[in-house]
Amino acid sequence: TIIHVGELYGDTLSLDQAPWGRSSSKEFQERLAAEYHCILKMKLKNNWLHVRDTLSVWKRSEMCCLVFGGDDDDKGGKAGSDASSSSGSGVEEA
């Protein structure tokens, strides 16, 4: 869990001069967004006039592997026979 206090990308008054804010570096914020997801973000009441500091809480995102089966798994299976015997309405003809 990471707690960040300060400006984040896109949430700053000086987009031209400091698009990543003035609190943390571009590299830190890119890694934060790549490896974590924000579960809470709130504006701070007592901000200076020239900043938009927030308090945000980030939780590490879980990585998972996705495995997609190919057409090889369907050889001789039902998928090919349904297409040839179906009337197109989703009901099999007798």
Side-chain angles (χ1 to χ4, degrees):
T1 303
I2 293 180
I3 298 173
H4 181 274
V5 178
E7 293 179 315
L8 291 169
Y9 178 75
D11 195 18
T12 177
L13 293 173
S14 56
L15 279 173
D16 295 334
Q17 296 173 354
W20 297 93
R22 293 187 164 99
S23 305
S24 52
S25 70
K26 172 186 174 184
E27 292 79 14
F28 171 81
Q29 291 187 44
E30 286 176 340
R31 186 166 178 190
L32 182 67
E35 298 179 18
Y36 293 79
H37 59 278
C38 185
I39 58 173
L40 173 73
K41 184 176 177 183
M42 59 184 282
K43 291 182 181 182
L44 298 179
K45 285 184 177 181
N46 297 326
N47 272 331
W48 294 96
L49 294 175
H50 62 284
V51 295
R52 284 189 178 164
D53 288 338
T54 58
L55 177 118
S56 55
V57 180
W58 299 75
K59 185 174 179 174
R60 185 183 299 271
S61 299
E62 291 186 28
M63 304 299 260
C64 64
C65 291
L66 297 177
V67 179
F68 296 97
D71 291 338
D72 295 336
D73 296 338
D74 294 335
K75 285 185 180 176
K78 193 175 175 182
S81 62
D82 284 347
S84 60
S85 63
S86 176
S87 64
S89 63
V91 178
E92 235 179 83
E93 293 179 16

